[in-house]
């Protein structure tokens, strides 16, 4: 796969972008908590700046990604991110720390333009039989940075301060742009320049998803999986303190075990999971997540909880790899950006809903009941996928030919 210039170049670019994002997340989080004395208002604004653009700009960025040349879009987005970071660095040097939120906001907005363009290039230039392995490779990279990203971000900020952290962020964005320059020039037929207006194209993307049974099922699956994940995500610390009777600092070890298992799972799928259908892989990941979530909610033994988290982490890449592979296989190149812009907010939106009611649910119900409810939501997502499990490859091609 790495012999493919597009995969190799986008992968290397993604390494630098992941590094920049983790340095940004932890440096800004630590700096804001320090300078505001742990003010929850400003800490919460960091999450708003990070996730808000997904809802506001995902479909907009996806639509423009379908209209513009993908290589140029990615390069310009990285360069603009770098410019915004260096501009914020100058402001911070003058004593105004609130501009840090602007740096997070700008880079998060621009990622909604560059990510769909990367997916579009992979769709165009990676053989279909290799798509699943390529998605596994990118998932493994994400898991790898989940393990080492917090360490790197914390180290740079703790030893060199916020100014150096911002300089690293800007540098890696420029480095990513320089790497992407090595990609072959966009062909004119790849530009995606539409003859209709922007709003008409956006509506066309929505209609495209509605017309596809596969994409509609995936959208509903996204919603239930996001709600299930959001319902338990804020409650991990209570599992550590209430169920296991340990200090909340023990949570970092559980997260590291989960992240390491995700890395191994992605690598295993990349090497051994090529023959598994993506819908089967997705269902397997959801089933294991359901069982693991319920088990963690009821477990009062540290060893058992660690085992459940490790097993769940190992199979968790099946969810993202299966979903991304299905999206790539069932979406025409001209619609890649818009479909991604519609599907992404489905997961994140319902995850935020789950996170917002998690505290209330725990206060009303028991901790084990909330985790059981999350497991049930994962099972519902599996049931929604059942029609896709019976879908043959020929049926998929026939469906696409009608779209």
């Amino acid at each position: 796969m790495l012999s493919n210039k597009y995969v190799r170049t986008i992968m290397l670019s993604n390494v630098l972008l992941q590094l920049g994002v983790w340095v940004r997340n932890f440096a800004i989080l630590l700096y804001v908590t320090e300078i505001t004395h742990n003010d929850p208002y400003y800490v919460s604004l960091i999450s708003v700046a990070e996730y808000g653009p997904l809802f506001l700009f995902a479909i907009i960025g996806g639509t423009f990604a379908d209209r513009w040349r993908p290589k140029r879009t990615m390069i310009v987005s990285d360069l603009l991110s770098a410019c915004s970071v260096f501009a914020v660095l100058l402001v911070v040097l003058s004593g105004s720390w609130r501009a840090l939120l602007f740096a997070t906001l700008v880079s998060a907005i621009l990622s909604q333009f560059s990510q769909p363009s990367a997916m579009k290039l992979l769709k165009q230039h990676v053989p279909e039989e290799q798509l699943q392995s390529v998605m596994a490779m990118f998932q493994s990279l994400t898991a790898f940075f989940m393990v080492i990203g917090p360490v790197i971000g914390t180290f740079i900020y703790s030893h060199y301060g916020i100014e150096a952290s911002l300089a690293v962020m800007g540098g890696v964005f420029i480095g990513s742009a320089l790497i992407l320059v090595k990609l072959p020039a966009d062909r004119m037929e790849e530009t995606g320049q539409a003859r209709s207006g922007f709003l008409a194209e956006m509506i066309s993307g929505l209609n495209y998803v509605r017309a596809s049974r596969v994409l509609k099922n995936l959208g509903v699956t996204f919603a239930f999986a996001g709600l299930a994940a959001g319902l338990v995500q804020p409650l991990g610390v209570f599992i550590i303190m209430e169920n296991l009777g340990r200090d909340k600092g023990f949570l970092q070890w559980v997260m590291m075990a989960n992240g390491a298992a995700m890395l191994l799972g992605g690598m295993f799928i990349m090497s051994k999971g090529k023959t598994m259908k993506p819908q089967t892989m997705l269902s397997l990941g959801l089933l294991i997540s359901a069982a693991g979530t319920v088990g963690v909610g009821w477990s009062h033994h540290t060893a058992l909880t660690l085992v459940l988290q490790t097993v769940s982490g190992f199979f968790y890449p099946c969810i993202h790899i299966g979903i991304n592979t299905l999206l790539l296989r069932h979406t025409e190149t001209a619609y890649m950006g818009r479909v991604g812009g519609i599907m992404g907010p489905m997961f994140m939106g319902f995850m935020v809903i789950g996170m917002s009611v998690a505290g209330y649910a725990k206060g009303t119900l028991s901790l084990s009941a909330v985790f059981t409810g999350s497991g049930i939501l994962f099972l519902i997502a599996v049931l929604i996928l059942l029609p896709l499990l019976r879908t043959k490859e020929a049926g998929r091609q026939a469906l696409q030919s009608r779209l």
Side-chain angles (χ1 to χ4, degrees), residues 14 54 79 82 97 123 133 160 163 193 201-202 210 235 250 283 291 296 301 304 310 325 329 331 342 357 388:
N14 203 255
L54 180 62
L79 291 177
W97 62 268
K123 168 73 173 180
S133 296
Y160 303 104
E163 294 84 0
Q193 294 176 354
E201 282 194 19
M202 187 183 297
R210 282 198 295 263
L235 304 181
F250 188 73
S283 299
V296 167
H301 300 281
L304 177 59
T310 301
T325 303
R329 288 186 176 179
T331 305
I342 294 168
V357 302
L388 298 187

Side-chain angles (χ1 to χ4, degrees), residues 236 239 243-244 254 290-300 304-310 312 367-368 371:
I239 290 291
N243 280 15
L244 304 184
V254 176
T293 300
V294 174
V296 167
W298 288 89
S299 171
H300 290 268
L304 177 59
T305 299
L306 284 172
V307 169
L308 290 171
Q309 287 280 15
T310 301
S312 297
L367 190 61
S368 56
F371 274 72

Side-chain angles (χ1 to χ4, degrees), residues 49-112:
E50 185 177 351
Y51 292 108
L54 180 62
F55 306 104
L56 300 176
F57 292 94
I59 182 62
I60 296 174
T63 303
F64 276 116
D66 285 336
R67 294 165 64 95
W68 294 341
R69 300 182 183 182
K71 174 187 173 181
R72 186 165 62 181
T73 300
M74 295 164 67
I75 293 174
V76 171
S77 295
D78 288 347
L79 291 177
L80 289 176
S81 293
C83 290
S84 70
V85 169
F86 287 124
V88 168
L89 175 58
L90 294 176
V91 176
V92 170
L93 289 173
S94 68
S96 177
W97 62 268
R98 290 177 177 82
L100 290 171
L101 299 175
F102 176 76
T104 301
L105 181 66
V106 170
S107 62
I109 290 174
L110 291 171
S111 69
Q112 303 307 313

Side-chain angles (χ1 to χ4, degrees), residues 210-372:
R210 282 198 295 263
S212 169
R213 180 171 62 90
V214 173
L215 295 179
K216 282 193 298 185
N217 278 22
L218 283 177
V220 180
T221 300
F222 260 54
F224 278 97
L227 186 61
L231 198 59
V232 297
Q233 183 170 335
L235 304 181
V237 67
F238 295 102
I239 290 291
I240 301 302
M241 294 189 295
E242 296 181 13
N243 280 15
L244 304 184
R246 290 180 172 269
D247 183 82
K248 60 183 180 181
F250 188 73
L251 179 62
Q252 64 177 320
W253 301 107
V254 176
M255 293 179 64
M256 286 184 67
N258 186 264
M262 286 176 57
L263 175 60
L264 293 175
M267 294 173 63
F268 178 81
I269 295 171
M270 186 169 57
S271 60
K272 304 294 184 181
K274 300 176 183 178
T275 59
M276 185 181 296
K277 292 196 298 184
Q279 55 265 45
T280 303
M281 183 179 298
L282 174 56
S283 299
L284 177 63
L286 291 171
L287 280 173
I288 298 298
S289 292
T293 300
V294 174
V296 167
W298 288 89
S299 171
H300 290 268
H301 300 281
T302 300
L304 177 59
T305 299
L306 284 172
V307 169
L308 290 171
Q309 287 280 15
T310 301
V311 172
S312 297
F314 185 84
F315 285 95
Y316 193 74
C318 291
I319 298 177
H320 289 281
I321 295 169
I323 285 174
N324 286 328
T325 303
L326 285 169
L327 288 179
L328 284 169
R329 288 186 176 179
H330 291 273
T331 305
E332 296 175 25
T333 303
Y335 288 88
M336 278 303 308
R338 282 164 287 180
V339 170
I342 294 168
M343 293 297 185
M346 286 292 290
F347 182 86
M348 288 300 302
F350 278 88
M351 188 174 78
V352 170
I353 292 173
M355 293 170 64
S356 65
V357 302
Y360 174 79
K362 180 190 178 297
T364 306
L365 307 169
S366 66
L367 190 61
S368 56
V370 177
F371 274 72
T372 300

Side-chain angles (χ1 to χ4, degrees), residues 111-261:
S111 69
Q112 303 307 313
F113 293 81
S114 62
Q115 289 175 1
S117 298
M119 293 289 283
K120 186 174 181 179
L121 283 176
L122 293 176
K123 168 73 173 180
Q124 291 172 333
H125 299 287
V126 176
E128 186 167 308
E129 63 273 12
Q130 294 182 5
L131 283 175
Q132 190 158 289
S133 296
V134 170
M135 290 299 101
M137 185 186 302
F138 280 91
Q139 178 62 34
S140 298
L141 177 65
T142 300
F144 176 72
F145 273 96
M146 285 183 66
V147 176
I148 70 165
V151 177
I152 296 175
T154 302
F155 177 84
I156 294 176
Y157 172 74
S158 300
H159 287 75
Y160 303 104
I162 189 64
E163 294 84 0
S165 299
L166 289 172
V168 170
M169 287 169 55
V172 295
F173 284 132
I174 292 176
S176 173
L178 293 176
I179 289 171
L180 292 172
V181 170
K182 298 180 181 180
L183 287 172
D186 292 313
R187 299 193 301 267
M188 290 306 296
E189 60 266 25
E190 291 178 350
T191 61
Q193 294 176 354
R195 298 173 183 173
S196 54
F198 173 82
L199 184 60
E201 282 194 19
M202 187 183 297
I203 295 174
S204 174
L206 294 169
N207 291 334
Y208 182 84
V209 172
R210 282 198 295 263
S212 169
R213 180 171 62 90
V214 173
L215 295 179
K216 282 193 298 185
N217 278 22
L218 283 177
V220 180
T221 300
F222 260 54
F224 278 97
L227 186 61
L231 198 59
V232 297
Q233 183 170 335
L235 304 181
V237 67
F238 295 102
I239 290 291
I240 301 302
M241 294 189 295
E242 296 181 13
N243 280 15
L244 304 184
R246 290 180 172 269
D247 183 82
K248 60 183 180 181
F250 188 73
L251 179 62
Q252 64 177 320
W253 301 107
V254 176
M255 293 179 64
M256 286 184 67
N258 186 264

